[in-house]
Amino acid sequence: MMWEIIQQTVNGLALGSIYGLIAIGYTMVYGIIGMINFAHGDIYMLGAYVTAISIAVISSIASMPVVLLLSLTVLIVVPITALHGYVLEKIAYKPLRHAQKLSALITAIGMSLFLQNYIQISQGARNQGIPTLISGGFTLWTDKISSLSAVMSYTQVVILVVTLVSMLTLAYVIKSTSLGRQCRSTQQDQMMSAMLGVNTDRVISVVFIIGAGLAGVGSVLVTLNYGSFDFFIGFIAGIKAFTAAVLGGIGSVTGAMLGGLLLGMSESFFSGLVNADYKDVFAFGLLIFFMVFKPTGLLGTPEVTKV
Amino acid sequence: MSKKESYKKLFKQTFLFFLVTVFIFVPLVGIKLLGWKYSLRIPNALFLIFGLTVIRFMIGVINLTPRLRGPFRKVFSQVSYLPHVAPTSISQRKKSLLFLVIALSFVLPFVIEQYWLSVMITALIYVMLSLGLNIVIGFAGLLDLGYVAFFAVGAYGVALLHHFFQIDFWLAMPIAAFLAMLVGGLLAFPVLRMHGDYLAIVTLGFGEIIRLLLNNWTEFTRGPNGVILPRPYISFFGIPFDKNSPNSFHNLLGIEYSLSHKSIFLYLCLLLIVIAVTYFCLRLKKMPLGRSWEALREDEIACRSMGINHVTIKLFAFGLGAFFGGIGGGFFAALTEFVSPSSFTFIESALVVSIVVLGGLGSIPGVIIAAVVMTLLPEVLRDIANVRVLMFGVVMVVMMIWRPRGLTRVLRPRFNKTSK
Amino acid sequence: MSPNNNNIIEVKDLDVFYGAIQALRKVSLSIKRGEIVSLIGANGAGKSTLLNSIFKIPTIVGGSIHYNGDDITALKTHQISRLGISLVPEGRHIFPRMTVLENLLLGCTPLGFQHKDEDLKRIFALFAVLKERKDQAAGTLSGGEQQMLAVGRALMSRPKLLLLDEPSLGLAPLIIRDIFKTLVSIAKEDTTIFLVEQNARMALKISTRGYLLVNGKIEIEDSAKNLINNPEVVEGYMGK
């Protein structure tokens, strides 16, 4: 039993940190323009394709150590997803900055459908994959009776380390730099920020870029972990990450990470100990539960409707 | 700014635009994954890159040329029609046009082929769904992204009632529709306090939960394999359309057996129901309930402070929308004689949402036309069938930016002060 | 008429609409360097609209705004503050979930950060209480402290022109006096002040000139001394 608990904790942490990485994009965008970027999950999906493509292209040009290969891949994927985030904002959301919320949300759904189909057409509808790049892992615990052991794979180690580094960098940027201050001030009072000389349009673009870039990091890690993907993965991953953002309190970056870990762990335990078929039902149920009973999440600030 | 300077700026902007398109299209269009290898499709990418860059440059030139700028801006500026008050009486010409359309749709099944008949039935099912969702989104302003759940409940209700109890369609369909309504009410309770984005996400999650349940609860729903209904499933109010049964439809009428009898019957029934529902929706707009929805859509807080019970009217909106969705689902099961979870994905919900948006939120004629066009178009233009969803996406974005209130005008019903 | 170069700001024939309602009708005014000018008027006369329209918050339909002789009518909000204009808006608009220090640092945005320590020292000398609370969330300050923070934040960008919208709103009389004293001392250090106030007497006392705005139109323009004694102004805007 003990090995299973340890194993599910490790799996949950790895899964959760990826949810957290994607959730940050939702939470930051929601914080700053008050809308759900529905197409965010599809940016992540697109990142998975770019990951596989760059791994295929790089390894066809030269063979190199896995560490170098992965670093190069991250350096290719993150700018490309970030650029997609930037363009997405410019095309679909900026013209609707002052429109009704319903219009902006419908645009977002339209963008999401567009991206899915764009990839389906350009890359084909079938499942894609990458070869296993990192194999093996640490044995954390071995049960004496059944001799089953809990293993933390090296891929999971990479996931945790990369997530930790990205999170710390982001936390530093938001907490201590001028850009981070501008992001926070724009989130709290857009008009006043503009009057203090903050170029709020640029800040909003930056938020989309950061969100999409982190989703890109997430897609490299997921592709590394699972190896296979299709053009539809953005949808489920998107809702899951959004659930994580809600769990942690939408608008809060720390909350998004916390919510991601929480969702990853509970999902992993649910599928390990209760029923793997219903793990998505469980996650969506959790989403609805939180939306109904605690819409501010764990760390969110209550939303005040001005009349 | 001088002309030279502004052209310099345009060249710079176009070059940046070019760079962006290069980084967007080269990796994802120019390179195609083939297993763990790849193949180059650079011409495709170049086509997109240069095509878009030229378009961007042309738009820039038009903006810098005063003579072209005016008309260009007029066409592409954002227009949002304010609702217009409907004229007191429908003009004679419109009346005769309406009559013609209805008459034509009754004659239609007798003149078209079997294949197009089933396409038309599908179109009518979508009209049904869109009218239902139009109540929720268009009238009450509640963005429901899980509408497919009610469609699924209707379809599975009919299929499972036959599977377990051999209940005939004409009894099963109303039961399934009421079941869908019940589920709609069930969904309405947790979302009563929500609006906007949160509502959208919760309904989306709800729709996915229903689909996952259908997929995983194999003992009850037979899982991904779906439920197969006998063919022909639908009966002429109890009289089967069977070929070999002695007291079947064609034997009683003494006509030759044809596969299309069943479809024609299905079409005509559905058409009658759709006309009834349309009339109902038109009346609904003028009723106190319809006006309460309008108030709810425009400003929930103001609506509640006017003494309108938002709980009841939201329940009604979801319930009615779900009821019509359920009817649509029932007919879908009767048409395909097979239901499986793969027919009830999020794309289906998004499609119906985009029909309602395209038709103009709240406009009943607009929604009906959009539903028929969106179903027929991919059939007519076979070549674009694979970019269908892509087009829906583009249409949704462009419409929201360009004509957020839809292509047609939304007419508010007129209320006469003196009519008392 | 070319803009007068002695004027730090010159507003000409300004028209502003909110939907179909005209909030400002052909408003013209000018302020010379080193002046303290008050804008008085009733609720809804358009005083805040006038200040905000210098920052392009409402859309300007007609007219022009010149700053130091340059046309700034077409600039965007964030570009205005880089010219050396600061606004202390009505209701203070501090960032409640950021610390006092962070609020002040945001005030540096238009200038860059090369003078930030010097400026912080200056602000802390002006408002000692802000120094004590510099690591506290700004939302936890009292109303008067928040107003000081808003003024301090506006001063961080070393403005040549300081616009204040109702700095006395909701504050105790003692604190109002402190704030007005500070304003006078700021004005002595080469900062022109344009003050919108309902507390007309207080405002006119420290001003050189004043304007009276009624229903979106400038009704009277005069020296502060004359305005204080103008029976129409006394009757309508000063109480007894």
Side-chain angles (χ1 to χ4, degrees):
Chain A
M1 205 55 213
M2 191 64 196
W3 74 270
E4 173 128 37
I5 291 173
I6 294 176
Q7 185 67 64
Q8 296 306 345
T9 310
V10 171
N11 292 353
L13 280 177
L15 188 65
S17 26
I18 290 164
Y19 287 154
L21 279 176
I22 308 170
I24 285 168
Y26 282 109
T27 216
M28 284 182 77
V29 167
Y30 192 90
I32 211 151
I33 55 174
M35 59 161 281
I36 298 170
N37 177 9
F38 227 90
H40 185 62
D42 298 293
I43 297 260
Y44 149 81
M45 171 273 294
L46 197 138
Y49 277 87
V50 183
T51 306
I53 288 171
S54 36
I55 288 177
V57 172
I58 294 170
S59 40
S60 79
I61 294 168
S63 68
M64 56 179 75
V66 176
V67 182
L68 195 61
L69 176 66
L70 283 180
S71 319
L72 270 177
T73 305
V74 170
L75 286 180
I76 293 169
V77 173
V78 171
I80 288 178
T81 52
L83 186 70
H84 277 87
Y86 170 80
V87 172
L88 182 72
E89 196 266 337
K90 277 276 176 298
I91 298 176
Y93 302 140
K94 196 166 175 235
L96 287 161
R97 196 72 57 71
H98 304 289
Q100 279 189 331
K101 263 194 167 180
L102 193 64
S103 315
L105 196 58
I106 290 171
T107 316
I109 297 166
M111 251 4 245
S112 165
L113 291 182
F114 174 82
L115 285 176
Q116 277 176 26
N117 232 246
Y118 160 64
I119 293 298
Q120 189 191 355
I121 292 164
S122 68
Q123 297 293 332
R126 70 190 196 89
N127 238 23
Q128 301 280 6
I130 61 160
T132 312
L133 292 174
I134 309 170
S135 51
F138 303 109
T139 306
L140 295 174
W141 174 280
T142 309
D143 198 289
K144 285 185 186 116
I145 305 154
S146 60
S147 73
L148 287 162
S149 44
V151 180
M152 185 183 205
S153 71
Y154 293 132
T155 312
Q156 285 171 329
V157 176
V158 171
I159 289 174
L160 290 178
V161 170
V162 173
T163 307
L164 195 68
V165 171
S166 321
M167 291 313 300
L168 289 177
T169 318
L170 181 70
Y172 171 76
V173 168
I174 288 186
K175 187 89 193 72
S176 316
T177 64
S178 171
L179 181 71
R181 269 199 300 276
Q182 294 187 11
C183 286
R184 280 182 292 150
S185 76
T186 307
Q187 177 175 354
Q188 290 177 31
D189 192 333
Q190 196 163 330
M191 187 188 81
M192 189 63 224
S193 304
M195 292 198 293
L196 288 174
V198 175
N199 186 346
T200 47
D201 280 348
R202 203 185 60 128
V203 169
I204 291 169
S205 287
V206 166
V207 164
F208 270 86
I209 287 171
I210 292 176
L214 287 176
V217 176
S219 43
V220 175
L221 296 178
V222 170
T223 317
L224 205 61
N225 199 19
Y226 295 112
S228 85
F229 54 87
D230 57 38
F231 68 95
F232 204 63
I233 55 165
F235 178 66
I236 293 284
I239 307 182
K240 295 268 185 72
F242 184 77
T243 307
V246 169
L247 239 60
I250 195 142
S252 154
V253 174
T254 334
M257 204 59 226
L258 204 68
L261 290 178
L262 202 68
L263 180 67
M265 298 278 271
S266 45
E267 198 184 305
S268 158
F269 273 98
F270 185 86
S271 62
L273 305 176
V274 186
N275 188 335
D277 286 345
Y278 286 99
K279 72 176 166 50
D280 289 352
V281 176
F282 170 74
F284 297 147
L286 207 62
L287 169 73
I288 293 178
F289 181 84
F290 260 79
M291 283 285 199
V292 173
F293 294 105
K294 189 137 179 41
T296 54
L298 299 173
L299 299 179
T301 42
E303 192 179 339
V304 182
T305 316
K306 285 181 196 130
V307 184
Chain B
M1 219 186 318
S2 77
K3 200 159 185 178
K4 204 176 158 193
E5 262 177 77
S6 36
Y7 268 95
K8 221 173 172 181
K9 201 174 156 197
L10 175 61
F11 276 113
K12 209 179 118 192
Q13 283 171 345
T14 312
F15 181 67
L16 281 178
F17 183 87
F18 169 77
L19 281 186
V20 168
T21 53
V22 166
F23 281 105
I24 282 186
F25 292 120
V26 166
L28 283 164
V29 178
I31 306 173
K32 186 173 193 251
L33 269 180
L34 291 171
W36 297 352
K37 298 265 180 344
Y38 63 95
S39 70
L40 289 179
R41 309 231 160 141
I42 296 298
N44 293 4
L46 287 183
F47 175 73
L48 279 170
I49 291 167
F50 283 104
L52 287 173
T53 308
V54 167
I55 291 171
R56 169 72 185 82
F57 184 71
M58 293 310 287
I59 290 173
V61 170
I62 289 172
N63 264 326
L64 288 176
T65 319
R67 211 151 20 109
L68 297 172
R69 190 168 47 202
F72 182 75
R73 289 230 172 124
K74 218 180 230 165
V75 176
F76 288 98
S77 65
Q78 194 178 51
V79 183
S80 74
Y81 294 120
L82 287 173
H84 278 245
V85 176
T88 31
S89 61
I90 306 168
S91 73
Q92 200 55 47
R93 223 182 60 189
K94 269 192 186 163
K95 249 185 200 165
S96 39
L97 188 72
L98 187 69
F99 180 75
L100 197 71
V101 169
I102 294 178
L104 268 181
S105 40
F106 274 102
V107 179
L108 196 67
F110 299 100
V111 293
I112 55 177
E113 299 165 38
Q114 174 69 28
Y115 172 75
W116 285 104
L117 192 54
S118 62
V119 171
M120 279 315 292
I121 296 174
T122 315
L124 282 179
I125 290 173
Y126 274 107
V127 171
M128 194 74 210
L129 293 179
S130 312
L131 284 173
L133 189 62
N134 186 43
I135 292 177
V136 187
I137 301 185
F139 289 0
L142 305 162
L143 184 51
D144 180 355
L145 293 182
Y147 191 65
V148 72
F150 311 128
F151 186 46
V153 170
Y156 263 91
V158 164
L160 291 177
L161 280 172
H162 184 274
H163 181 74
F164 287 115
F165 308 109
Q166 278 74 49
I167 292 176
D168 183 68
F169 177 75
W170 292 106
L171 183 58
M173 196 269 289
I175 296 177
F178 275 108
L179 212 63
M181 190 162 148
L182 215 66
V183 175
L186 208 70
L187 169 66
F189 270 110
V191 302
L192 282 176
R193 289 190 299 171
M194 289 169 212
H195 38 87
D197 299 359
Y198 276 35
L199 181 86
I201 289 286
V202 167
T203 49
L204 191 155
F206 178 78
E208 276 302 295
I209 287 180
I210 296 279
R211 188 182 66 82
L212 289 166
L213 280 179
L214 295 178
N215 207 24
N216 291 330
W217 193 3
T218 33
E219 307 84 63
F220 181 57
T221 65
R222 305 174 60 85
N225 298 329
V227 185
I228 300 163
L229 288 165
R231 303 161 187 257
Y233 165 64
I234 197 165
S235 63
F236 187 80
F237 305 111
I239 304 166
F241 284 102
D242 217 330
K243 189 174 182 184
N244 304 321
S245 157
N247 53 349
S248 78
F249 183 73
H250 66 283
N251 283 336
L252 286 181
L253 253 71
I255 50 174
E256 206 177 315
Y257 172 78
S258 157
L259 203 66
S260 64
H261 290 164
K262 181 186 75 175
S263 305
I264 292 172
F265 175 64
L266 194 62
Y267 173 89
L268 289 176
C269 292
L270 191 54
L271 184 64
L272 281 173
I273 292 178
V274 164
I275 290 172
V277 168
T278 310
Y279 182 71
F280 179 73
C281 287
L282 283 169
R283 296 295 305 172
L284 206 57
K285 246 180 150 174
K286 294 187 193 171
M287 278 160 50
L289 184 62
R291 277 178 282 152
S292 310
W293 281 335
E294 200 179 341
L296 180 78
R297 181 185 71 204
E298 297 304 327
D299 190 334
E300 178 165 346
I301 291 168
C303 162
R304 283 166 66 175
S305 59
M306 294 307 290
I308 294 168
N309 186 346
H310 69 293
V311 174
T312 344
I313 62 171
K314 275 188 185 175
L315 272 177
F316 265 112
F318 272 107
L320 271 177
F323 183 70
F324 294 150
I327 297 179
F331 274 95
F332 176 76
L335 172 70
T336 54
E337 292 164 343
F338 167 69
V339 288
S340 81
S342 61
S343 309
F344 308 106
T345 55
F346 171 67
I347 298 285
E348 238 25 66
S349 289
L351 172 59
V352 183
V353 170
S354 67
I355 288 174
V356 174
V357 170
L358 194 70
L361 295 164
S363 155
I364 290 163
V367 164
I368 293 175
I369 294 168
V372 175
V373 169
M374 293 285 257
T375 342
L376 290 187
L377 211 59
E379 300 293 335
V380 179
L381 305 169
R382 276 272 151 187
D383 295 339
I384 68 145
N386 66 332
V387 292
R388 196 172 73 135
V389 184
L390 188 101
M391 295 307 288
F392 289 154
V394 174
V395 162
M396 283 162 86
V397 174
V398 171
M399 283 294 293
M400 281 300 109
I401 293 172
W402 186 40
R403 295 279 149 95
R405 292 259 182 184
L407 279 176
T408 57
R409 281 183 182 181
V410 177
L411 295 179
R412 284 193 80 256
R414 175 186 286 273
F415 300 105
N416 289 331
K417 274 182 196 160
T418 48
S419 66
K420 210 176 181 183
Chain C
M1 191 180 89
S2 76
N4 184 340
N5 269 334
N6 283 329
N7 291 336
I8 187 158
I9 193 152
E10 190 162 342
V11 174
K12 246 190 300 181
D13 297 334
L14 202 64
D15 283 323
V16 170
F17 286 82
Y18 289 124
I21 296 152
Q22 188 160 12
L24 295 180
R25 298 157 198 270
K26 299 248 172 283
V27 168
S28 298
L29 58 81
S30 55
I31 298 168
K32 290 194 194 63
R33 278 192 200 86
E35 277 190 310
I36 300 182
V37 175
S38 299
L39 180 67
I40 55 179
N43 262 344
K47 299 181 307 259
S48 298
T49 306
L50 179 53
L51 278 200
N52 287 340
S53 57
I54 293 176
F55 268 92
K56 309 297 144 54
I57 301 294
T59 319
I60 292 170
V61 176
S64 67
I65 301 171
H66 286 262
Y67 175 74
N68 281 334
D70 300 324
D71 190 349
I72 60 165
T73 322
L75 293 186
K76 288 186 182 136
T77 304
H78 68 269
Q79 291 167 323
I80 303 282
S81 67
R82 295 184 187 168
L83 302 170
I85 309 179
S86 275
L87 173 67
V88 180
E90 184 180 353
R92 307 183 271 265
H93 284 264
I94 52 148
F95 303 107
R97 293 192 297 282
M98 296 171 83
T99 65
V100 169
L101 186 66
E102 285 175 330
N103 264 278
L104 289 174
L105 286 178
L106 268 165
C108 290
T109 319
L111 264 191
F113 294 91
Q114 56 269 45
H115 305 294
K116 80 170 198 296
D117 295 324
E118 204 180 309
D119 284 329
L120 276 176
K121 212 180 257 172
R122 189 164 54 92
I123 304 300
F124 287 149
L126 223 46
F127 305 109
V129 67
L130 294 184
K131 189 174 185 180
E132 285 166 31
R133 318 214 151 190
K134 70 178 164 52
D135 294 321
Q136 207 170 313
T140 63
L141 298 183
S142 74
E145 290 162 348
Q146 290 190 4
Q147 187 68 57
M148 292 175 197
L149 177 58
V151 176
R153 184 179 60 185
L155 291 175
M156 285 297 283
S157 62
R158 303 186 169 185
K160 293 281 166 282
L161 175 63
L162 181 62
L163 313 171
L164 292 117
D165 196 349
E166 306 274 5
S168 72
L169 194 75
L171 297 184
L174 268 179
I175 296 171
I176 297 178
R177 222 173 53 198
D178 279 353
I179 290 199
F180 273 75
K181 242 188 239 164
T182 317
L183 291 184
V184 174
S185 69
I186 293 166
K188 281 185 187 138
E189 295 167 12
D190 188 33
T191 300
T192 311
I193 291 180
F194 185 34
L195 181 63
V196 163
E197 260 295 352
Q198 284 209 349
N199 193 340
R201 192 188 303 273
M202 195 91 182
L204 288 172
K205 259 186 201 160
I206 64 164
S207 305
T208 41
R209 284 191 307 125
Y211 289 88
L212 173 66
L213 193 66
V214 178
N215 284 336
K217 268 189 195 152
I218 298 277
E219 203 87 318
I220 308 175
E221 175 197 351
D222 211 336
S223 72
K225 262 191 205 126
N226 290 346
L227 275 176
I228 284 186
N229 299 319
N230 185 323
E232 190 189 333
V233 176
V234 172
E235 181 89 358
Y237 305 99
M238 289 194 188
K240 283 176 193 144

